[in-house]
Each structure stands twice: as C-alpha cells, then as structure tokens.
Amino acid sequence: MKVIVGNEEAISRLIAEEFIQTIHAKPHAVLGFATGTSPLKVYADLIQANQEGKVTFQGCSSFNLDEYVGLEGSHAQSYRYFMNKNLFDHIDINKDKTHVLLGVGDYQSYMSHYDEMIEKAGGIDIQILGIGSDGHIAFNEPGTSFDSLTHETELAPSTIKDNSRLFHDISEVPTRAVTMGLKSIMNARKIVLIATGKNKAKAIYGLLKGPVSEAMPCSILRNHPDVTIYVDEEAYSLIR
Ligand code: F6R
C-alpha cells in the first residue's frame, strides 16, 4: 500500500492524473466513483482536463459506490444528483453508461444485480474512495462482513451526524442506504483513497496501523495489491 501526503490541491491533482492515465491506457475503462466532499476537487480537475481535450470519457462507463434509501435521483442530496452536478453534466461521458444505485422504487432488485453488472462491464479499473470518520468505506459501517457484496444497510449514528451538515436538519438525513460491499470494492483492479482533515485522522490510523478487522472496515484495503492512500497532514497527524 502506498501513502502520499500533500495538500488537498496536490493530492486531488495526482488522483485525477491516475484516472486520466487509466483512461489513456484503456479508453473503455470502467470507473468507480464516490460522492461526498472528499473527491470534489478531483472531479473539478477531471472536468478541466476533459474540457481542455486532455482526456475523453466517451468510451468509459462508471459505477458509484452508494445511494441513500428514500431519495429520488432528482433530490438535491441524492448521490445521482451529486454526480450529475459535480461531474457527469460537465464531461463527455455517455450518461446511459453511468450507474448509480437506486434509492427508491425497485431499488432492491437493482441492487441485487449490481455486482453482476459491474462484472459484465469488465470490472472496475480504478475506484476512488473517501473514508468515514468511523472507518467506513462506501457505506460499509463497522461490523460489515469482509465478504459483503452490494447490500442495504443502516447508517451509523456518527455517519448520520457527519452527513447532516449537508441537510437542513439532522432529522432529514436518511438512516438507510444501499452500498457496494467490501468484497465488491476489493474486486476493483486499482483503488485510490482520499482523506483530508482532522476528523479523518483516527480512521487513517486504523487503516494504516490498526488490526485488519471488520471493526474497522477500511482496514480490508491492506489485503489489496494496488491501493494508494492520499492524505493531507491533518488526516495523517496520528501516524507521524
Ligand atoms: C460516498 C461514500 C462515503 C464517503 C465518506 C466520506 O460515496 O462512499 O464513504 O466517502 O462518508 O465522506 P466525505 O468525503 O463527505 O467526508
């Protein structure tokens, strides 16, 4: 596992570059995207690179990690809305080839086919991850089985609290989500994780130094052959 420490601008640029190189090597690459605050600068860099003609997403398809149960794709806090607004609306990807888990309607049936859809598309070539303050990746909260595939889950109280900053009131934060499982994530060929800020320091310590345990979901990444962790000084502060 490689670790790269730098400020948010620098590590975001490096991650965007990893995506661009993956696409240059394989124009039909399957891209794994995350939502949340952590990847926003990476997406801004990818938009800029696309608009400057340095990369095209025309051949790519994508799969997102997770979605809140109960939110329509048109809801401003849904992850489909987030991806359209922060990436897909501004690049030349074919939106029909972008996949975000459903949070309403027959979402359970869609969820049950998700890993198969990823496999049929050829498997994820590069997956970006954020990390929760409790060590979750996607919405795999502490205690989730390392063998999990895409499933429905209950959000931890700390995750609901962390994410309430994006809602008017904490009571509006959905308590359930659908998420790729830990095994689904481990199936990606290459994984890049970004973490910034003091709030992530404990999780980064658990990821790099703690025991590999289902109590700290991110620790499973230590078993993956191609992971790079991109952190700023604050997220790395308990390691130094
Ligand atoms: C989002 C996701 C989550 C976030 C994590 C960190 O798709 O999978 O695991 O990456 O909750 O969120 P931010 O980046 O907002 O701190």
Side-chain angles (χ1 to χ4, degrees):
M1 190 147 74
K2 275 196 290 182
V3 180
I4 307 228
V5 187
N7 66 36
E8 193 179 0
E9 280 71 29
I11 56 179
S12 298
R13 205 168 321 112
L14 290 171
I15 294 175
E17 200 47 50
E18 294 245 33
F19 271 81
I20 291 168
Q21 279 173 16
T22 301
I23 299 166
H24 283 167
K26 188 173 177 185
H28 290 87
V30 179
L31 310 175
F33 290 127
T35 56
T37 307
S38 306
L40 280 172
K41 284 199 162 62
V42 176
Y43 296 160
D45 285 349
L46 289 177
I47 291 168
Q48 192 183 346
N50 183 231
Q51 292 179 352
E52 289 174 354
K54 293 181 181 150
V55 67
T56 173
F57 294 87
Q58 279 170 8
C60 298
S61 56
S62 74
F63 289 85
N64 260 78
L65 290 169
D66 41 21
E67 180 60 283
Y68 287 119
V69 169
L71 299 192
E72 296 271 359
S74 55
H75 189 288
Q77 295 309 330
S78 79
Y79 288 169
R80 162 53 76 181
Y81 187 94
F82 175 102
M83 288 309 299
N84 287 348
K85 176 168 159 241
N86 293 299
L87 186 63
F88 301 149
D89 283 347
H90 312 286
I91 60 174
D92 62 355
I93 199 164
N94 176 352
K95 262 204 200 152
D96 293 342
K97 293 202 291 186
T98 66
H99 305 86
V100 181
L101 283 155
L102 302 177
V104 293
D106 205 1
Y107 72 92
Q108 287 168 323
S109 158
Y110 189 74
M111 164 189 94
S112 69
H113 293 112
Y114 207 60
D115 289 279
E116 196 184 312
M117 285 160 62
I118 295 172
E119 200 185 320
K120 276 203 182 135
I124 292 175
D125 290 296
I126 179 166
Q127 173 70 58
I128 184 170
L129 299 175
I131 189 169
S133 59
D134 63 355
H136 71 234
I137 48 175
F139 275 139
N140 295 286
E141 298 286 16
T144 306
S145 166
F146 278 178
D147 287 327
S148 53
L149 293 171
T150 303
H151 62 283
E152 182 169 353
T153 189
E154 179 115 19
L155 298 178
S158 61
T159 302
I160 293 173
K161 186 162 169 274
D162 286 347
N163 291 2
S164 66
R165 70 188 191 278
L166 303 167
F167 291 79
H168 296 300
D169 187 88
I170 194 164
S171 63
E172 290 174 17
V173 185
T175 57
R176 299 185 71 75
V178 274
T179 180
M180 273 167 62
L182 292 168
K183 192 169 181 191
S184 323
I185 292 170
M186 290 292 278
N187 284 337
R189 289 186 189 90
K190 179 182 196 66
I191 296 175
V192 292
L193 182 146
I194 180 165
T196 58
K198 251 206 161 57
N199 193 33
K200 304 294 172 73
K202 266 194 195 152
I204 291 299
Y205 184 87
L207 165 59
L208 297 174
K209 298 280 188 210
V212 174
S213 151
E214 289 177 355
M216 183 53 75
C218 56
S219 65
I220 195 176
L221 298 175
R222 297 234 295 275
N223 295 335
H224 192 283
D226 189 354
V227 180
T228 309
I229 310 296
Y230 291 88
V231 281
D232 71 355
E233 290 288 351
E234 288 193 344
Y236 200 57
S237 56
L238 294 178
I239 307 280
R240 289 242 189 252

Coordinates of all heavy atoms in Angstrom, one line a residue, residues 33-39 64-67 79 128-134 136-140 159 162-163 165-166 179 194 196 199-200, ligand 1:
F33 N -16.7 5.6 -8.9 CA -16.8 6.9 -8.3 C -17.4 6.9 -6.9 O -18.2 6.1 -6.6 CB -17.6 7.9 -9.2 CG -16.9 8.3 -10.5 CD1 -17.6 8.1 -11.7 CD2 -15.6 8.8 -10.5 CE1 -17.0 8.4 -12.9 CE2 -15.0 9.1 -11.7 CZ -15.7 9.0 -12.9
A34 N -17.0 7.9 -6.1 CA -17.6 8.1 -4.8 C -18.2 9.5 -4.8 O -17.9 10.4 -5.6 CB -16.4 8.1 -3.8
T35 N -19.1 9.7 -3.7 CA -19.6 11.1 -3.5 C -19.0 11.7 -2.3 O -18.0 11.2 -1.8 CB -21.2 11.0 -3.5 OG1 -21.5 10.1 -2.4 CG2 -21.7 10.5 -4.8
G36 N -19.6 12.7 -1.7 CA -19.1 13.3 -0.5 C -18.2 14.5 -0.9 O -17.9 14.7 -2.1
T37 N -17.7 15.1 0.1 CA -16.8 16.3 -0.1 C -15.4 15.9 -0.6 O -14.8 16.6 -1.4 CB -16.7 17.0 1.3 OG1 -18.0 17.3 1.8 CG2 -16.0 18.4 1.1
S38 N -14.9 14.8 -0.1 CA -13.5 14.4 -0.4 C -13.1 14.4 -1.9 O -12.1 14.9 -2.3 CB -13.2 13.0 0.2 OG -13.5 13.0 1.5
P39 N -13.9 13.9 -2.8 CA -13.5 13.8 -4.2 C -13.8 15.1 -5.1 O -13.5 15.1 -6.3 CB -14.3 12.6 -4.8 CG -15.5 12.5 -4.0 CD -15.2 13.1 -2.6
N64 N -21.1 4.0 -9.3 CA -20.9 4.7 -8.0 C -21.1 3.7 -6.8 O -21.7 2.7 -6.9 CB -21.9 5.8 -7.9 CG -21.3 7.1 -8.2 OD1 -21.1 7.4 -9.4 ND2 -20.9 7.9 -7.2
L65 N -20.5 4.1 -5.7 CA -20.5 3.2 -4.5 C -21.8 3.0 -3.8 O -22.1 1.9 -3.4 CB -19.5 3.8 -3.5 CG -18.0 3.8 -3.8 CD1 -17.3 4.7 -2.8 CD2 -17.5 2.4 -3.8
D66 N -22.6 4.1 -3.8 CA -23.7 4.0 -2.8 C -24.8 5.0 -3.1 O -24.6 5.9 -3.9 CB -23.3 4.1 -1.4 CG -22.2 5.2 -1.2 OD1 -22.1 6.1 -2.1 OD2 -21.4 5.1 -0.2
E67 N -25.9 4.9 -2.4 CA -27.1 5.8 -2.5 C -27.9 5.7 -1.3 O -28.0 4.7 -0.6 CB -27.9 5.5 -3.8 CG -29.1 6.4 -4.0 CD -28.8 7.9 -4.2 OE1 -28.5 8.6 -3.2 OE2 -28.8 8.4 -5.4
Y79 N -27.2 10.9 -4.4 CA -25.9 10.7 -5.0 C -25.9 10.7 -6.5 O -25.0 11.1 -7.2 CB -25.2 9.5 -4.4 CG -24.8 9.7 -3.0 CD1 -24.4 8.6 -2.2 CD2 -24.8 10.9 -2.4 CE1 -24.0 8.8 -0.9 CE2 -24.4 11.1 -1.1 CZ -24.0 10.1 -0.3 OH -23.6 10.3 1.0
I128 N -12.2 5.3 -6.8 CA -11.9 6.3 -5.8 C -12.8 6.1 -4.6 O -14.0 5.8 -4.7 CB -12.0 7.8 -6.4 CG1 -11.5 8.7 -5.3 CG2 -13.4 8.1 -6.9 CD1 -11.4 10.2 -5.8
L129 N -12.1 6.2 -3.4 CA -12.9 6.1 -2.2 C -12.6 7.3 -1.3 O -11.5 7.9 -1.3 CB -12.4 4.9 -1.4 CG -12.5 3.5 -1.9 CD1 -11.8 2.5 -1.0 CD2 -14.0 3.1 -2.1
G130 N -13.6 7.7 -0.5 CA -13.4 8.6 0.6 C -13.4 7.7 1.8 O -13.4 6.4 1.7
I131 N -13.4 8.2 3.0 CA -13.4 7.4 4.2 C -14.3 8.1 5.3 O -14.2 9.3 5.4 CB -12.0 7.1 4.7 CG1 -12.0 6.0 5.8 CG2 -11.3 8.4 5.1 CD1 -10.6 5.5 6.1
G132 N -15.1 7.4 6.0 CA -15.8 8.0 7.1 C -15.0 8.1 8.3 O -14.0 7.5 8.5
S133 N -15.4 9.0 9.3 CA -14.7 9.2 10.5 C -14.6 7.9 11.3 O -13.7 7.7 12.2 CB -15.2 10.4 11.3 OG -16.6 10.1 11.6
D134 N -15.6 7.0 11.1 CA -15.6 5.8 11.8 C -14.9 4.6 11.0 O -15.0 3.5 11.4 CB -17.1 5.3 12.2 CG -17.9 5.1 10.9 OD1 -17.4 5.3 9.8 OD2 -19.1 4.7 11.1
H136 N -15.6 3.8 7.8 CA -16.4 3.2 6.8 C -15.8 3.5 5.4 O -15.2 4.6 5.2 CB -17.9 3.5 6.9 CG -18.3 4.9 6.5 ND1 -19.0 5.7 7.4 CD2 -18.1 5.7 5.4 CE1 -19.2 6.9 6.8 NE2 -18.7 6.9 5.6
I137 N -16.0 2.6 4.4 CA -15.7 2.9 3.0 C -17.0 2.5 2.3 O -17.6 1.6 2.6 CB -14.5 2.2 2.5 CG1 -14.4 0.7 2.8 CG2 -13.2 2.9 2.9 CD1 -13.3 0.0 2.1
A138 N -17.4 3.3 1.3 CA -18.7 3.3 0.8 C -19.6 3.5 2.0 O -19.3 4.2 2.9 CB -19.0 2.1 -0.1
F139 N -20.7 2.7 2.2 CA -21.5 2.8 3.4 C -21.3 1.5 4.2 O -22.3 1.0 4.8 CB -22.9 3.2 3.2 CG -23.1 4.7 3.1 CD1 -24.0 5.2 2.1 CD2 -22.5 5.6 4.0 CE1 -24.2 6.6 2.1 CE2 -22.7 7.0 3.9 CZ -23.5 7.5 2.9
N140 N -20.1 0.9 4.1 CA -19.9 -0.3 4.9 C -19.4 0.1 6.3 O -18.2 0.5 6.5 CB -18.8 -1.1 4.2 CG -19.3 -1.7 2.9 OD1 -20.1 -2.6 2.9 ND2 -18.9 -1.1 1.8
T159 N -22.2 8.6 11.3 CA -22.3 8.9 9.8 C -23.5 9.9 9.6 O -23.3 10.9 8.8 CB -22.5 7.6 9.0 OG1 -21.4 6.8 9.3 CG2 -22.5 7.9 7.5
D162 N -22.3 13.2 10.8 CA -21.3 13.8 9.9 C -22.0 14.3 8.6 O -21.7 15.4 8.1 CB -20.3 12.7 9.4 CG -19.2 12.4 10.5 OD1 -19.2 13.1 11.5 OD2 -18.5 11.4 10.3
N163 N -22.9 13.6 8.1 CA -23.6 13.9 6.8 C -24.7 15.0 7.0 O -25.2 15.6 6.0 CB -24.1 12.7 6.1 CG -23.0 11.8 5.6 OD1 -21.8 12.1 5.9 ND2 -23.3 10.8 4.9
R165 N -24.5 17.8 7.9 CA -24.0 19.2 7.5 C -24.6 19.6 6.2 O -24.6 20.7 5.8 CB -22.5 19.3 7.5 CG -21.8 18.5 6.4 CD -20.3 18.4 6.6 NE -19.6 17.9 5.4 CZ -19.5 16.6 5.1 NH1 -20.0 15.7 5.9 NH2 -18.9 16.2 4.0
L166 N -25.0 18.6 5.4 CA -25.4 18.8 4.0 C -27.0 18.9 3.9 O -27.5 19.2 2.9 CB -24.9 17.8 3.1 CG -23.4 17.6 3.0 CD1 -23.0 16.3 2.3 CD2 -22.8 18.8 2.4
T179 N -25.4 0.1 -0.7 CA -23.9 0.3 -0.9 C -23.2 -0.9 -1.5 O -23.6 -2.1 -1.3 CB -23.3 0.6 0.5 OG1 -21.9 0.8 0.3 CG2 -23.5 -0.5 1.5
I194 N -8.9 9.0 -0.7 CA -8.5 10.4 -0.4 C -9.2 10.7 1.0 O -10.3 10.5 1.2 CB -8.9 11.4 -1.5 CG1 -8.5 12.8 -1.0 CG2 -10.4 11.3 -1.9 CD1 -8.5 13.9 -2.2
T196 N -8.9 14.0 3.9 CA -8.3 15.3 4.4 C -9.0 15.7 5.7 O -10.2 15.4 5.9 CB -8.5 16.4 3.3 OG1 -9.9 16.6 3.1 CG2 -7.8 16.1 2.0
N199 N -10.8 15.3 11.3 CA -11.9 14.3 11.5 C -11.6 12.9 11.0 O -12.2 12.0 11.4 CB -13.1 14.9 10.9 CG -14.4 14.3 11.3 OD1 -14.5 13.8 12.4 ND2 -15.4 14.2 10.4
K200 N -10.6 12.8 10.0 CA -10.3 11.5 9.4 C -9.1 10.9 10.0 O -8.7 9.7 9.6 CB -10.1 11.7 7.9 CG -11.3 12.3 7.2 CD -12.5 11.5 7.2 CE -13.7 12.2 6.6 NZ -13.8 12.3 5.2
Ligands
F6R1 C1 -19.7 8.3 -0.5 C2 -19.1 7.3 0.3 C3 -18.7 7.6 1.7 C4 -17.8 8.9 1.9 C5 -17.4 9.1 3.3 C6 -16.7 10.4 3.5 O1 -20.0 7.8 -1.8 O2 -18.9 6.2 -0.1 O3 -18.0 6.5 2.3 O4 -16.7 8.7 1.1 O5 -18.6 9.2 4.1 O6 -17.5 11.5 3.1 P1 -16.8 13.0 2.9 O7 -15.9 12.9 1.7 O8 -18.0 13.8 2.7 O9 -16.1 13.3 4.2

